[in-house]
Amino acid sequence: MDGVYRYQRHIYDLTRKYYLLGRDGLIADLDPPVGGAVLEIGCGTGRNLIAVGKAWPGTRLYGVDISAAMLETARAAVAKAGLADGVTLAQGDACGFDAQALFGRVGFDRVFISYALSMIPDWEDALTQAARCVAPGGRLEIVDFGQQEELPALWKRALFGWLAQFHVSPRPDLAPAVQRTAEAVGGLPSCRSLYRGYALRVGMMRV
């Protein structure tokens, strides 16, 4: 991943803002408890964590990413935003990291993943890992590419072909996988299509 992002990280946020739709809506809906802990898996450049910090002041923020290059960019961005004291970043594999070792805690009030599962080959393992990190009463929130079901077929072929060049594979089984994961941990699943199927919001509340 460092090879992929060594240079892309410098223009990543500028280019992605036009087609990674639904991220800001997810952040606006997080509603963590006062002083709560929020973890982003696949935090990349830190863009989303900074947005969470601004939207929900006083929240304790954590981010994990497999790319050291991306984390270097994220640390600089977090510091520039004046949030360095409230954000902890660590390198780890989304499919299996030790939250206690990395962050000194095992549960988080909110865990979210934004357009990362479509880039992770073993994405179901990452989903299972994310669910493990949700504290009782907490929520897992995910936004990623949908199946474009209400958009023209030509659009879908063009978009998916273009995404494949960047090793991005929208997951047609994401919603049922979240359903199974929620059942396994005693959670309540949710699913919502956005922008005529362009994006998908899925998640679960752990009870």
Side-chain angles (χ1 to χ4, degrees), residues 1-10 12 16 65 67 69-70 73 119 166 168:
M1 295 304 293
D2 281 341
V4 172
Y5 290 122
R6 181 169 293 113
Y7 303 108
Q8 276 196 48
R9 62 195 171 110
H10 300 297
Y12 187 92
R16 267 62 175 183
D65 201 282
S67 170
M70 280 296 220
T73 297
M119 300 185 65
F166 300 94
V168 176

Side-chain angles (χ1 to χ4, degrees), residues 29-69:
D29 293 341
L30 278 179
D31 193 22
V34 176
V38 177
L39 168 66
E40 181 180 15
I41 296 176
C43 64
T45 63
R47 180 263 186 197
N48 294 329
L49 285 174
I50 291 170
V52 174
K54 292 179 178 179
W56 305 103
T59 305
R60 292 166 292 169
L61 305 175
Y62 302 85
V64 61
D65 201 282
I66 199 170
S67 170

